[in-house]
Amino acid sequence: MTGSDEVTVVCPSCGEHLPRWDETEAQGAVACAGCERTYRHYRGVLDLRSERQPTCWSSAMMNEEDLVREMVSSFSSASTADLTELYVQAHRLPDDVLDRDREYMLAAHARETWTVRYMDFCLDRYAGPSARLGRALDAGCGSGGSLPHLGARYSHVAGIDPDLAALVVAAKRCSEHGIRGRVTLVAGNLEQRIFADRSFAAAKCTDVLEHVMDPELSSDRMVRALQPGGALFVLTPNRFSFFGPEPHVRLWGVQFLPKAIADAYVHRRLGIAYSDIATLLSARTLRRVLAASGAEVIPVPVEDKHLNPRSLRGVRIRRLLRKRPIRAISRAMRFFQPSLEALCLAPDAKATTASWRR
Ligand SMILES: [Zn+2]
């Protein structure tokens, strides 16, 4: 693998390219030549966060510094499962939530097999072949369940997440899968500019956009980080799905309550405010948020998930139904399906005009 496959990380504060840090060191720091800020790294994970925004379960974390210190010192001898246990135990949450969280992290690699295959399918169907070659970004990678899958498809993978401790688990996971040398891990918020423009052939942002403070700015950053011909795959739970409880807190209808009531209700049950965990998007909002980046937005139709013609089930169902009823059902279901998916195609090189470059 050549060095040119590595991704260029920029200083979120001044935009200067940051020097490469030694990912084999247990801990260290890099200095920005532009603004002289220093950024620390832990087991190769560079911490570029300027503020700690509450996201997902982060406000239930007891003490991030203590947790990261403990993970860094036990890293060499610990397994992904050991680090996951440290991570889960560092949260102040009811036992059933912790059990779910542990299970979610331990099953992350297996679960993401489906997600990355679904992304493959959407890229093949709606994007050009250039979205399948080169570097990939996992925006909101958490404990890195997708990284080995992306690593098998792309020459270099970058993972970014505001949760530094989860990224240390991701670093271990990548080592165990033998791809650590081809993965760049950065703690940061999606609203920050962290990668040079046109760095990636593809970006994946699944179960993440509902947790960011500013989905519009986050989408804009991701689209700008795409090469011409690149594509961003987004998946997020649908605010208007009536098929189950709110997927993060498992409480029915909480996403429809006024903010203050939802916060108080979830706080009583789980000890943290709902708005610190998630804000679900509707199909319409998602489309508007993504389109603001200037990308061409393709909402993935319902039948692509359930009638994927590459799956046996898809072939069978397609034989049973004719095209017209499927399309009508698909249109009607779009607003109520459990999760929303969309592909954003980066503006191509010729179309990159002053209007896109702010
Ligand atoms: Zn700087």
Side-chain angles (χ1 to χ4, degrees):
M1 215 49 68
T2 62
S4 65
D5 284 323
E6 277 195 2
V7 62
T8 303
V9 176
V10 305
C11 171
S13 164
C14 74
E16 184 78 22
H17 291 192
L18 289 176
R20 207 64 215 174
W21 60 100
D22 185 355
E23 294 181 327
T24 61
E25 274 182 341
Q27 283 191 70
V30 284
C32 169
C35 66
E36 296 180 346
R37 249 169 226 266
T38 57
Y39 298 103
R40 299 201 54 79
H41 55 88
Y42 307 86
R43 290 293 169 183
V45 181
L46 186 65
D47 186 3
L48 293 184
R49 297 170 302 174
S50 50
E51 56 178 319
R52 307 281 163 89
Q53 298 171 345
T55 170
C56 215
W57 303 110
S58 68
S59 53
M61 193 183 278
M62 288 183 244
N63 186 325
E64 187 187 62
E65 273 168 46
D66 288 350
L67 171 61
V68 170
R69 195 177 308 126
E70 198 178 348
M71 286 175 140
V72 165
S73 65
S74 60
F75 191 86
S76 304
S77 56
S79 65
T80 301
D82 296 334
L83 295 176
T84 298
E85 192 54 38
L86 284 177
Y87 178 91
V88 171
Q89 291 301 335
H91 287 77
R92 193 180 289 113
L93 286 167
D95 283 343
D96 60 323
V97 178
L98 290 182
D99 288 345
R100 234 155 54 200
D101 210 20
R102 179 186 297 110
E103 202 180 311
Y104 187 85
M105 280 175 82
L106 290 175
H109 178 251
R111 184 181 57 245
E112 294 295 325
T113 305
W114 177 85
T115 320
V116 179
R117 270 195 204 145
Y118 185 26
M119 173 173 162
D120 281 343
F121 167 76
C122 294
L123 291 178
D124 283 348
R125 188 161 174 129
Y126 300 106
S130 56
R132 300 295 301 270
L133 289 169
R135 290 181 292 257
L137 169 67
D138 190 357
C141 65
S143 72
S146 294
L147 299 173
H149 301 295
L150 294 170
R153 291 157 168 83
Y154 293 90
S155 61
H156 194 96
V157 184
I160 163 185
D161 201 280
D163 189 342
L164 174 61
L167 288 170
V168 176
V169 181
K172 190 72 199 190
R173 197 191 297 279
C174 291
S175 299
E176 287 179 352
H177 281 87
I179 56 159
R180 186 66 187 95
R182 295 193 291 115
V183 177
T184 299
L185 295 172
V186 178
N189 295 308
L190 295 194
E191 291 87 348
Q192 291 177 292
R193 181 169 178 263
I194 283 176
F195 301 106
D197 288 355
R198 304 167 169 223
S199 289
F200 302 102
K204 169 183 177 287
C205 181
T206 57
D207 291 315
V208 171
L209 221 46
E210 71 275 19
H211 299 295
V212 304
M213 300 293 279
D214 188 335
E216 215 165 278
L217 180 56
S218 301
S219 309
D220 190 72
R221 297 279 190 223
M222 289 188 280
V223 168
R224 275 160 200 270
L226 292 175
Q227 293 160 359
L232 161 68
F233 175 68
V234 174
L235 180 151
T236 187
N238 183 4
R239 178 161 190 252
F240 288 101
S241 173
F242 301 103
F243 295 103
E246 199 287 340
H248 304 92
V249 296
R250 309 271 174 113
L251 300 170
W252 284 88
V254 72
Q255 71 269 35
F256 301 114
L257 298 173
K259 185 176 176 294
I261 297 172
D263 280 356
Y265 176 41
V266 173
H267 194 276
R268 238 180 75 178
R269 301 289 293 264
L270 303 173
I272 49 178
Y274 179 60
S275 54
D276 282 0
I277 300 170
T279 306
L280 301 192
L281 284 74
S282 66
R284 203 180 291 262
T285 309
L286 177 65
R287 190 166 189 166
R288 179 181 52 74
V289 158
L290 297 176
S293 67
E296 183 188 343
V297 181
I298 301 167
V300 178
V302 177
E303 69 266 23
D304 275 1
K305 184 162 39 184
H306 301 286
L307 304 183
N308 175 349
R310 284 207 190 149
S311 75
L312 199 57
R313 180 173 67 162
V315 172
R316 283 187 187 141
I317 297 177
R318 237 173 228 285
R319 268 188 208 142
L320 281 174
L321 298 164
R322 282 200 201 92
K323 210 168 181 171
R324 203 179 291 271
I326 294 177
R327 200 174 289 168
I329 295 166
S330 155
R331 282 219 182 112
M333 285 299 298
R334 183 185 300 165
F335 299 97
F336 309 106
Q337 59 181 319
S339 68
L340 303 165
E341 296 85 39
L343 209 65
C344 297
L345 304 181
D348 69 39
K350 277 173 283 177
T352 307
T353 60
S355 67
W356 186 55
R357 299 190 146 269
R358 252 207 289 244

